[in-house]
Amino acid sequence: MVKTMLSTLLTLTLAVAMAACGGAREEKAVENQAENTRGANQPEVASSPPAPRPGELVWVYRKSGRKQCEGGGVTLQQSLAKLRENGVMVQESRCGVRTDRMYPAVCGAPTGDILLHLVSMDALDAALELGYDPAEQMQYQFSECRDNSA
């Protein structure tokens, strides 16, 4: 009897904890003034990233630096400007979120927000030197850009 009650209590506790974590993920992203850019027009946000043409283009990313409850970090436009100022031609830029890691809901902790840029394979080394990494090394999805204010 005690084991059954303990098992039921543990199951209920896990269910409540999982529901609380899921709610944080479903928080609607607030659009940033520096929205995702693709030429002049931006299509609807895709749930999974399109595969670049093999051998020609590659997605690179960097953490946005945004902190929970505090905001801050780098905007998509600032990240794009950094690449362009260093001679890297960018085909497309989008905001995203990592889906291969869990982030505890704690004020001041990092978010899974990332900034993605589609560059040519010829520009990959320059992007790596600027602190970007190939996005193929992790799992992510595109998302709306968030406001960097708290």
Side-chain angles (χ1 to χ4, degrees), residues 25-97:
R25 277 192 209 144
E26 294 175 15
E27 174 186 314
K28 185 175 180 188
V30 178
E31 287 190 39
N32 190 345
Q33 290 179 347
E35 294 179 5
N36 296 331
T37 60
R38 180 182 186 158
N41 298 322
Q42 175 64 30
E44 292 295 318
V45 174
S47 60
S48 62
R53 292 174 288 215
E56 294 179 24
L57 299 173
V58 62
W59 284 101
V60 295
Y61 80 98
R62 65 168 285 172
K63 296 177 192 173
S64 71
R66 187 172 184 274
K67 303 275 185 192
Q68 295 179 48
C69 307
E70 298 174 10
V74 177
T75 66
L76 184 64
Q77 292 294 8
Q78 290 169 332
S79 179
L80 176 61
K82 179 180 180 180
L83 288 167
R84 288 184 174 165
E85 288 169 2
N86 287 281
V88 177
M89 295 296 298
V90 177
Q91 302 296 317
E92 182 178 353
S93 294
R94 300 189 76 174
C95 292
V97 63

Side-chain angles (χ1 to χ4, degrees), residues 6 19 38 51 55 64 72 82 101 110 128 138 149:
L6 188 57
R38 180 182 186 158
S64 71
K82 179 180 180 180
R101 293 191 178 172
L128 294 175
M138 50 110 188
S149 62

